[in-house]
């Protein structure tokens, strides 16, 4: 076959005009044969949700040779004439001049036949599930959100920072850590039954990072505004639809920002992402809206349109206490807000995104800046209706002495944080930052119920396959 | 002090026009006092290489209170009038109305005083080195290259894919792997002295990925064109200026591409990156050109201007054999090309970037597509003058039976790759891809000699600090 450039299906469907000869490659989603001597193929190449309809006249030369191989899942190569389609719901269709099957997909063995497959089943064949409508759409949305995150920060002069994955610090025990080692079982145990980490690859005990924040602060204190976007890890044995052992986080960190600046940035960030995804992925979002959750489009537009409500933790507690709602968890100043509390505030009271700020110091990590009241810190959480917390952040404690006291109060050893403390010893600046769990965002945007279905290859307890 | 928006120094120096009142925050790089009752501060906020000159009249109110704290490294906040500068080499300067020091930097302890610091020393204080000219410039260039990589692929409709970090497959032993575990020393050893991985977090032995290629192929075989950009790992005990234990890789993978398409993409990719970095980071690149390597700007322009030479491995061997050069490693068909060979070809013979293709199958991995000659595979390496290999890629073997044979010839067990083989069983398509080591690119672009100096926190044998 002569060398010509393939045209992507997204481009073909968008151009919506006839063309004498084009080349299309993709995978057959369905085949239907008419009595009149034609086959109708639906071809998909992943560039968009929609398929291209290809009409194959059984009289063309290549049909006989390839017909037996043209099944659901086969890889096909079609040269043909693009014409306006008389059919409903499609703009153009391709009249094949040549059809060739590159790789077959034996119907007796190919698992993705045209019928309903449960997400549980598709997780078992995670190497084939991107060939379905749902997972193609999820991955296109995931891609666009990723790019949009970069665009947002780059437009504002933030520098993208790669913080280390392998680390010796545990960001104040934000979660259980995976250990990284090259010691084998023979050398792991030294004479006293203690492990001799001086023999390990890095000469000390190392694990997988739970957050890039502390390292992000290092660079914010030199380059002003940075963001990370990388993988983080939790070795918690949580088998839920909201937990992954490996997930991606976005963590901006900014010098010269106070808590208000931090909240403004977080609000503008989310608004930007939702506006962009509505504009860039309308077809995929409509699919989710139709298929899984009819409120998706409306909710996303709400994030774009409404100014977020801002309320202090103390006021939120008062609201909850006078609500007369029967919460599972008691409402008490000093306790963590549970998902039911957050959702009541954003869904029932304000009916829009809410930022809750100034949390009790006892329930927040050591690095958050103390307020003058002696009992709260400059923390903030952004709550979205139907999801709950999507962003958590704070102004950071920039006073060396206060920070040491906070570490001691949390039973941390300041010596373990000498370099972090140096940021306050030398040229300390007010600064703030936040973190966004990327998969939770993709979950919210797509409406997918299980977080394992918004990441290409999920890692969860007892599962690191593929 | 009243709430006003800080202006970034990059913006101030670019605007080059007077302004009645602006707020600047940053860190003092130097201070010089004149006999006439003025202090001259050089302030940097990381937004660009250049400092802003601030002139402080000793008669302003805030001077006396803050003067004792205005040292190299202090964090300062200045409100003043921006005026045209009479001084050479600077467009504007700031006449301070108010100067405040937020965080001091005690000259007796702050290690970054104005003098020469070796890169070895700066690696010891990796949490402070971003405050130097060199590391600020490296990180701005690194940031721009990262963004440019995303732009290149996004403009072409490639989807950004996050492949897993924790994995049970080893990409045919591309390198030594780190083990990831939650077993502690007590539970690691089961009764027979064998480790019982069924007790480990993922229920089997897991490690840190050495490449996302195989998973990338999964998504290319559904969505056509994808790219990864994420961390990868090598547990090799290599203490050189070119090796890191943790580094970032870019790996595009494309269905419907043959080797020629693959080479075209790689060439366009590099040309795009170099053109963009010359346009976007001229100040930082001029700094490197002046400071470290006077040929940088010329070489980068060369990547943009010259069509890459393409030559087969067999022809490259012939060229080397008739060169009469005294190579350390012998030149023989079937052996790997060494750095000296690659550099001879790109620097001495062609004096520009070269792509070498069709390598002997014996020296290349199982997944590369076999040529009909029965002895070479459709591999390609892109060689840059002065650096050597920057990109390695291939068309992938898409024939199920050939792939099995290749695995067996390389002593791999096809059962371990059942899902990878499924990509050839069901809807196989011609496809290709390549990998680019991101830190090697940053090294080449900046001219930094040691790869540890182009990543924020390098991980190398015996070092995972910060």
């Amino acid at each position: 076959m002569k060398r010509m450039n393939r045209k992507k299906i997204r481009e073909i469907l968008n151009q919506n005009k006839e063309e004498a000869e084009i080349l299309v490659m993709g995978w057959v989603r369905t085949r239907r044969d008419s009595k009149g001597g034609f086959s109708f193929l639906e071809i998909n190449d992943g560039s968009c949700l929609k398929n291209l309809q290809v009409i194959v006249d059984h009289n063309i030369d290549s049909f006989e040779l390839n017909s037996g191989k043209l099944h659901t899942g086969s890889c096909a190569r079609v040269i043909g004439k693009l014409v306006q389609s008389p059919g409903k719901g499609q703009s153009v269709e391709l009249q094949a001049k040549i059809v060739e099957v590159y790789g077959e997909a034996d119907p007796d063995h190919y698992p993705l036949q045209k019928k309903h497959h449960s997400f549980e089943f598709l997780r078992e064949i995670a190497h084939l599930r991107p060939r379905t409508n749902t997972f193609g759409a999820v991955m296109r949305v995931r891609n666009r959100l990723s790019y949009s995150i970069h665009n947002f920060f780059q437009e504002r002069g933030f520098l993208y920072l790669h913080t280390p994955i392998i680390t010796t610090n545990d960001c104040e025990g934000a979660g259980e850590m995976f250990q990284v080692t090259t010691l084998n079982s023979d050398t792991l145990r030294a004479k006293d039954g203690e492990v001799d980490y001086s023999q390990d690859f890095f000469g000390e005990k190392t694990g997988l990072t739970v957050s890039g924040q502390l390292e992000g602060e290092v660079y914010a204190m030199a380059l002003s505004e940075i963001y990370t976007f990388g993988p983080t890890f939790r070795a918690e044995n949580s088998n839920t639809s909201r937990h992954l052992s490996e997930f991606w986080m976005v963590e901006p960190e900014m010098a010269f920002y106070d808590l208000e600046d931090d909240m403004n940035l977080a609000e503008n960030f989310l608004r930007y992402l939702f506006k962009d995804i509505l504009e860039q992925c309308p077809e995929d979002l409509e699919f989710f809206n139709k298929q899984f959750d009819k409120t998706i489009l409306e909710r996303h537009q709400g994030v774009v349109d409404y100014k977020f409500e801002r309320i202090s933790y103390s006021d939120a507690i008062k609201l909850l206490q006078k609500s007369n709602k029967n919460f599972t968890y008691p409402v008490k100043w000093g306790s963590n807000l549970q998902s039911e509390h957050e959702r009541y505030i954003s869904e029932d009271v304000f009916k829009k995104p809410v930022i809750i700020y100034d949390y009790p110091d006892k329930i927040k990590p050591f690095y958050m800046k103390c307020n003058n009241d002696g009992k709260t810190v400059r923390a903030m959480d952004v709550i979205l209706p139907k999801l709950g917390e999507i962003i958590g952040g704070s102004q950071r404690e920039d006073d060396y002495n206060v920070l040491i006291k906070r570490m001691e109060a949390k039973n941390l050893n300041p010596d373990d944080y000498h370099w972090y403390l140096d940021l306050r010893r030398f040229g300390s600046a007010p600064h703030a930052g936040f973190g966004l769990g990327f998969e939770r965002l993709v979950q919210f945007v797509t409406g997918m119920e299980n977080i394992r279905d918004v990441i290409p290859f999920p890692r969860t307890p007892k599962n690191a396959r593929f």
Side-chain angles (χ1 to χ4, degrees), chain A:
Chain A
M1 209 178 269
K2 65 181 164 174
R3 194 171 181 94
M4 58 188 284
N5 286 329
R6 125 179 132 98
K7 205 152 194 176
K8 292 188 200 181
I9 291 174
R10 180 193 172 114
E11 205 185 321
I12 294 169
L13 296 178
N14 283 345
Q15 78 177 36
N16 197 15
K17 72 166 201 273
E18 308 211 334
E19 207 168 335
E21 190 165 277
I22 61 169
L23 165 64
V24 172
M25 298 196 247
W27 291 271
V28 177
R29 283 290 173 82
T30 60
R31 169 183 175 171
R32 182 171 58 81
D33 288 355
S34 82
K35 289 175 191 156
F38 291 92
S39 291
F40 298 87
L41 308 174
E42 293 281 329
I43 307 253
N44 190 285
D45 67 1
S47 62
C48 61
L49 183 74
K50 280 211 187 78
N51 306 317
L52 177 67
Q53 175 156 289
V54 176
I55 297 157
V56 187
D57 185 332
H58 292 178
N59 292 318
I60 65 170
D61 287 346
S62 51
F63 178 72
E64 200 178 320
L65 192 64
N66 288 280
S67 174
K69 303 187 259 178
L70 273 174
H71 299 298
T72 294
S74 302
C75 173
R77 190 181 151 94
V78 185
I79 291 179
K81 183 181 176 188
L82 192 70
V83 298
Q84 298 288 342
S85 171
K88 248 181 126 174
Q90 61 200 30
S91 53
V92 284
E93 58 189 32
L94 189 63
Q95 292 175 345
K97 297 176 189 172
I98 305 174
V99 174
E100 283 183 354
V101 170
Y102 195 90
E104 292 186 68
D106 181 350
D108 292 339
H109 293 101
Y110 186 55
L112 285 179
Q113 298 304 319
K114 192 178 162 60
K115 58 164 191 165
H116 178 74
H117 302 286
S118 74
F119 291 142
E120 290 74 15
F121 170 72
L122 291 174
R123 262 170 243 145
E124 297 297 310
I125 49 166
H127 62 305
L128 298 175
R129 68 177 186 174
R131 303 180 183 192
T132 63
N133 280 339
T134 301
F135 286 92
V138 166
M139 290 308 150
R140 281 186 297 271
V141 167
R142 187 180 165 106
N143 166 71
R144 183 67 209 183
L145 286 169
S146 298
Y147 188 47
S148 190
I149 286 165
H150 284 295
N151 287 337
F152 175 83
F153 288 117
Q154 294 288 335
E155 286 169 12
R156 282 153 187 79
F158 285 56
L159 299 180
Y160 180 33
L161 182 73
H162 295 116
T163 48
I165 309 302
I166 299 171
T167 181
T168 52
N169 82 65
D170 72 351
C171 199
E172 56 82 50
E176 293 290 312
M177 287 180 82
F178 288 103
Q179 192 183 334
V180 174
T181 182
T182 53
L183 294 175
N184 60 37
S185 53
D186 294 334
T187 51
L188 241 176
R189 202 193 289 255
K191 46 189 178 304
D192 315 326
E194 288 279 295
V195 178
D196 180 8
Y197 286 111
S198 72
Q199 300 302 311
D200 207 348
F201 190 90
F202 294 108
E204 55 190 313
K205 191 176 181 180
T206 52
L208 292 178
T209 185
V210 296
S211 161
Q213 180 199 316
L214 304 194
E215 289 93 351
E217 288 188 47
V218 164
Y219 274 79
M221 297 303 285
L223 306 172
S224 296
E225 292 165 324
I226 62 90
Y227 67 106
T228 73
F229 185 9
T232 48
F233 306 85
R234 295 285 186 285
E236 272 139 32
N237 199 5
S238 300
N239 258 304
T240 81
S241 63
R242 292 160 54 99
H243 288 87
L244 289 168
S245 307
E246 173 180 320
F247 57 98
W248 285 65
M249 282 245 282
V250 182
E251 297 183 289
E253 195 70 34
M254 301 76 63
F256 315 122
Y257 277 52
D258 62 15
L259 183 64
E260 191 181 331
D261 299 321
D262 200 33
M263 292 193 283
N264 292 343
L265 186 76
E267 182 170 344
N268 290 335
F269 179 48
L270 288 176
R271 186 166 293 131
Y272 181 98
L273 294 182
F274 280 82
K275 186 165 186 290
D276 181 76
I277 202 74
L278 283 167
E279 285 169 6
Q280 297 289 331
C281 296
E283 187 192 31
D284 292 319
L285 290 187
E286 271 154 32
F287 169 79
F288 293 120
N289 197 71
K290 198 172 145 193
Q291 209 77 5
F292 302 122
D293 178 349
K294 306 249 180 302
T295 68
I296 283 182
L297 290 175
E298 189 191 321
R299 274 194 283 128
H300 295 1
Q301 196 60 51
V303 177
V304 179
D305 291 342
Y306 302 129
K307 201 170 155 40
F308 294 11
E309 192 67 36
R310 298 189 189 184
I311 179 175
S312 73
Y313 167 89
S314 299
D315 285 345
I317 291 289
K318 284 178 203 154
L319 270 181
L320 290 164
Q321 282 170 337
K322 68 178 187 192
S323 73
N324 294 320
K325 286 272 276 191
N326 246 330
F327 293 115
T328 310
Y329 294 88
V331 174
K332 212 185 103 202
W333 199 99
S335 298
N336 268 313
L337 295 180
Q338 300 297 323
S339 179
E340 56 173 349
H341 306 140
E342 294 173 342
R343 292 187 56 171
Y344 170 76
I345 290 171
S346 70
E347 288 166 31
D348 296 355
V349 181
F350 296 112
K351 298 179 174 59
K352 61 178 181 174
V354 175
I355 308 182
I356 304 176
Y357 59 90
D358 284 352
Y359 282 80
D361 59 3
K362 296 253 181 329
I363 58 171
K364 289 290 181 184
F366 74 92
Y367 51 71
M368 297 190 173
K369 184 156 186 73
C370 295
N371 276 312
N372 293 332
D373 62 13
K375 57 181 186 173
T376 63
V377 290
R378 295 190 189 167
M380 64 102 178
D381 283 351
V382 183
I383 317 295
L384 293 185
K386 272 210 114 167
L387 180 81
E389 186 199 320
I390 180 87
I391 279 177
S394 72
Q395 188 171 341
R396 315 307 188 189
E397 184 54 73
D398 52 52
D399 185 297
Y400 182 82
N401 295 316
V402 175
L403 190 56
I404 296 245
K405 271 191 206 133
R406 287 271 290 160
M407 283 177 171
E408 285 165 350
K410 303 257 175 196
N411 291 315
L412 297 168
N413 182 357
D415 292 344
D416 295 340
Y417 296 87
H418 64 94
W419 57 270
Y420 186 70
L421 286 161
D422 270 2
L423 305 177
R424 282 74 178 168
R425 280 176 74 199
F426 304 124
S428 188
H431 64 294
F434 63 76
L436 169 135
F438 181 60
E439 279 73 17
R440 301 208 59 211
L441 175 70
V442 183
Q443 236 189 318
F444 183 75
V445 169
T446 58
M448 295 297 284
E449 280 198 359
N450 196 314
I451 200 163
R452 298 168 198 210
D453 298 330
V454 299
I455 188 166
F457 299 97
R459 269 71 183 106
T460 51
K462 303 294 173 207
N463 174 37
R465 287 178 304 137
F466 304 104

